[in-house]
Amino acid sequence: MTHDHDLVLRPTAAQTEAALNPPPGRNGGDLVVETLAGLGATTVFGLPGQHALGMFDALRRSDLRYIGLRVENNAGFAADAYGRITGEAAPLLLSTGPGALTSLAALQEARAASAPVLAISSQVPTAGLGGGRHGYLHELPDQAASFRGVVKSVHTVRTQSQIPSAIAEAWTSALTVPHGPVWVEIPQDVLLAETPIPVVTGGDTFPEELPPRPELTAVAADLLTRAQRPAIIAGGGVVRADASKKLRQLAERLQAPVVTTFGGKGAFPWTHPLSLQSWLEDRHTTDFLEDADVLLVVGSGLGELSSNYHTFTPRGRVIQIEADLGKLESNHPALGVHADARLALQALLETVGERTDPAAPERVRAVLDKVRERIASQELTLEQDVLAAVRGALPPGAPSFWDMTILAYWAWSAFDAKAPNTMHSAQGAGGLGYGFPAALGAAAADPTHPVLAVSGDGGALYSIAELATARQYDLNVTWLIVDDGGYGILREYMTDAFGEPTATELTRPDYVALAESFGVPGVRTSPQTLEADLAKALAAPGPSVVVLPAVLRMFAPTHLD
């Protein structure tokens, strides 16, 4: 009698022959790249180092495409964007100690944004594992400990036979919702030693799905059906789950207004009659959401930026759908549904009743009118014109990547992303330097669209070295640098708080001349010519730089009132 669980896949004759007679000259690094290829990887990012040379030597014996950046943190940002655009785990190859640690800020952003990154680092030789002080180059008492609070899972390899399974396990972890970065470390001697292990030919993994509990969605559907003033907050989880169409269907069935978080840009059509857009840092929007008798929060933890700096205090019943268990009810009591956004929205669509509310679009328009009036009263025409120029120049399907800069803060609230998964920023962890290297990763993922990166001059200085990367791989990225002579938003914060800024002014290079020294075309523009100059740069193949000298201001916050 044969049971399903007794069935095994028998190797073909060719696989048997390859296993019995593996090609000579392979090492542990070959097991790494063979496993990645078997899992479906096609592109890897990274930066070589002495302990990791076994992996990098193996790349030349593989079909994997390697894109090498100049700083490990930038390589992490590139892998982050590749994972966001493709939905695949993006391999990131790093060396021990300083190389590994330099990637931490990028991995923190990937974790906050649920971007699947598979970081594989070398380690000191096996004899040095365990915390002893042997004096190896790059040695740390416990390298993995530096990553446990940042990534989803940590996997330490000690023998070559562990490599395929450890990487496959990490790959599954990275792609199990919520997606996120994972860490694998392999000792130098394990990577360098010649291996008798057969060529890795298999690698199928099956990330677990996270469906909602049916008794919870039944209660949620009943609450939403009976609601008088339902509203929806759509976060990044909707985008990551590719659930935007289901969100729209549910909103229309319930006639529920929708606001998207900054991480959820594009999850709901900007000009839809039920769209409150993304004006979360506005008291008018906050008041509207507080007045909802049933508030559905999908794919958001209602953190600082999504709650108008924790001034949001809902008065009605909250339903929260969230794949990250730690975020469930972490800020507000709710009917917590631990689930992937796509599966949960599908369950609600199958059970929720249809509502009619002809006044809902009118209430949405009233809120947006109040927001516009508030912004108009602050004489911020320059800022709005610059943002409109960027939107006008950027093709609708082209992705954009925004650094932590004043124009990006405007974009969080006021920029129409046009489509899901096209606008990305570092608002998850809030570190500088994200925009340009992330855009390079996106261009590697999808060369069919031009990619826009937006930085201030302060953030740009984190990433200048990657102009060499952009030129070396001829990546189709246009980099807009808004040059205001310093850390503009910190200048504003300090002036407001202390009367004058300190440590915010920067000596910086001539960015156009610097770009041209890398062989990258550069142009200096003005607010009046920005749209035309940016559109021309985006239309030209390969990398380019557009520099806008301008001092922009933020709109006044409402959370301090």
Side-chain angles (χ1 to χ4, degrees):
M1 182 176 181
T2 301
H3 300 281
D4 287 346
H5 60 264
D6 293 327
L7 296 175
V8 294
L9 295 175
R10 289 178 169 78
T12 65
Q15 287 173 324
T16 300
E17 176 63 24
L20 293 175
N21 299 285
R26 293 165 59 250
N27 60 23
D30 287 275
L31 297 175
V32 173
V33 298
E34 290 165 6
T35 303
L36 291 174
L39 289 166
T42 58
T43 301
V44 300
F45 301 88
L47 198 154
Q50 182 175 332
H51 285 178
L53 294 182
M55 283 193 294
F56 285 84
D57 175 62
L59 283 174
R60 65 184 174 87
R61 293 187 288 277
S62 81
D63 293 327
L64 294 176
R65 175 178 60 158
Y66 170 67
I67 295 180
L69 286 93
R70 303 310 193 261
V71 182
E72 288 86 353
N73 200 51
N74 293 337
F77 284 143
D80 165 300
Y82 187 95
R84 295 193 198 198
I85 293 295
T86 64
E88 303 168 3
L92 172 64
L93 306 185
L94 302 168
S95 193
T96 320
L101 296 177
T102 302
S103 73
L104 275 168
L107 295 177
Q108 183 188 6
E109 176 58 40
R111 182 68 183 276
S114 297
V117 175
L118 173 56
I120 303 176
S121 166
S122 57
Q123 247 290 21
V124 297
T126 309
L129 298 180
R133 305 302 284 161
H134 301 276
Y136 288 112
L137 180 70
H138 306 326
E139 183 180 75
L140 290 165
D142 186 356
Q143 178 175 274
S146 297
F147 294 86
R148 286 195 183 97
V150 176
V151 299
K152 282 186 67 180
S153 58
V154 170
H155 311 257
T156 298
V157 168
R158 294 177 180 272
T159 66
Q160 289 184 342
S161 62
Q162 295 176 2
I163 289 175
S165 293
I167 292 177
E169 185 178 283
W171 181 281
T172 302
S173 175
L175 292 175
T176 297
V177 294
H179 294 174
V182 294
W183 182 260
V184 179
E185 56 179 20
I186 308 171
Q188 178 190 27
D189 54 325
V190 174
L191 289 171
L192 289 175
E194 188 171 351
T195 182
I197 296 174
V199 173
V200 182
T201 57
D204 286 342
T205 64
F206 304 95
E208 294 183 11
E209 292 190 330
L210 186 59
R213 296 175 62 89
E215 68 274 17
L216 296 178
T217 53
V219 174
D222 180 65
L223 288 170
L224 290 166
T225 302
R226 292 189 295 107
Q228 298 299 308
R229 299 178 310 283
I232 299 174
I233 298 177
V238 176
V239 176
R240 301 287 168 263
D242 192 21
S244 300
K245 289 182 180 179
K246 295 186 184 300
L247 172 68
R248 178 173 180 171
Q249 290 175 331
L250 183 65
E252 290 175 346
R253 186 173 299 179
L254 293 171
Q255 284 297 290
V258 179
V259 63
T260 62
T261 69
F262 306 148
K265 297 286 289 186
F268 195 73
W270 189 257
T271 57
H272 192 284
L274 293 171
S275 176
L276 287 162
Q277 300 178 358
S278 300
W279 288 98
L280 284 167
E281 288 190 45
D282 189 283
R283 193 65 223 175
H284 299 303
T285 304
T286 305
D287 290 342
F288 183 91
L289 295 172
E290 288 180 347
D291 186 56
D293 61 340
V294 179
L295 179 67
L296 175 62
V297 183
V298 189
S300 171
L302 291 181
E304 185 175 41
L305 296 179
S306 302
S307 62
N308 204 354
Y309 297 90
H310 293 300
T311 62
F312 171 58
T313 54
R315 295 189 294 272
R317 189 74 183 269
V318 178
I319 303 165
Q320 185 185 13
I321 297 169
E322 175 56 56
D324 187 334
L325 188 61
K327 293 180 180 178
L328 206 62
E329 294 192 72
S330 61
N331 285 306
H332 300 282
L335 174 67
V337 182
H338 182 216
D340 173 70
R342 182 181 181 85
L343 298 177
L345 288 171
Q346 179 60 42
L348 289 177
L349 282 169
E350 293 170 358
T351 52
V352 77
E354 191 163 351
R355 291 182 67 259
T356 57
D357 186 358
E362 184 179 337
R363 291 189 289 121
V364 168
R365 283 195 302 272
V367 173
L368 294 179
D369 285 345
K370 291 178 183 177
V371 173
R372 279 190 285 269
E373 289 170 8
R374 187 177 79 85
I375 300 300
S377 70
Q378 298 175 44
E379 299 181 358
L380 297 165
T381 304
L382 171 63
E383 290 74 9
Q384 294 177 85
D385 288 349
V386 167
L387 196 62
V390 174
R391 179 64 276 175
L394 185 66
S400 58
F401 290 81
W402 304 69
D403 213 333
M404 300 295 285
T405 186
I406 287 177
L407 190 59
Y409 300 161
W410 269 93
W412 289 351
S413 294
F415 192 76
D416 179 2
K418 297 290 186 185
N421 206 31
T422 57
M423 180 181 169
H424 305 272
S425 71
Q427 57 89 30
L432 275 173
Y434 175 80
F436 186 54
L440 298 179
D446 181 6
T448 64
H449 293 97
V451 183
L452 173 68
V454 180
S455 300
D457 54 293
L461 290 171
Y462 278 62
S463 312
I464 287 297
E466 305 311 338
L467 285 168
T469 303
R471 182 73 284 164
Q472 180 171 347
Y473 299 99
D474 201 30
L475 295 169
N476 196 13
V477 175
T478 294
W479 190 9
L480 172 62
I481 301 173
V482 182
D483 184 358
D484 67 0
Y487 300 118
I489 192 65
L490 299 180
R491 181 191 291 141
E492 280 201 18
Y493 289 162
M494 293 193 79
T495 301
D496 290 345
F498 309 114
E500 60 181 292
T502 303
T504 60
E505 306 314 299
L506 298 174
T507 298
R508 66 266 187 219
D510 179 336
Y511 287 105
V512 172
L514 185 58
E516 290 174 345
S517 75
F518 283 92
V520 174
V523 62
R524 185 171 288 100
T525 189
S526 68
Q528 294 73 34
T529 60
L530 173 61
E531 183 170 350
D533 288 338
L534 196 56
K536 182 179 179 181
L538 286 162
S544 58
V545 171
V546 177
V547 180
L548 173 65
V551 177
L552 305 180
R553 295 186 298 129
M554 270 305 291
F555 51 82
T558 62
H559 66 279
L560 301 176
D561 295 342

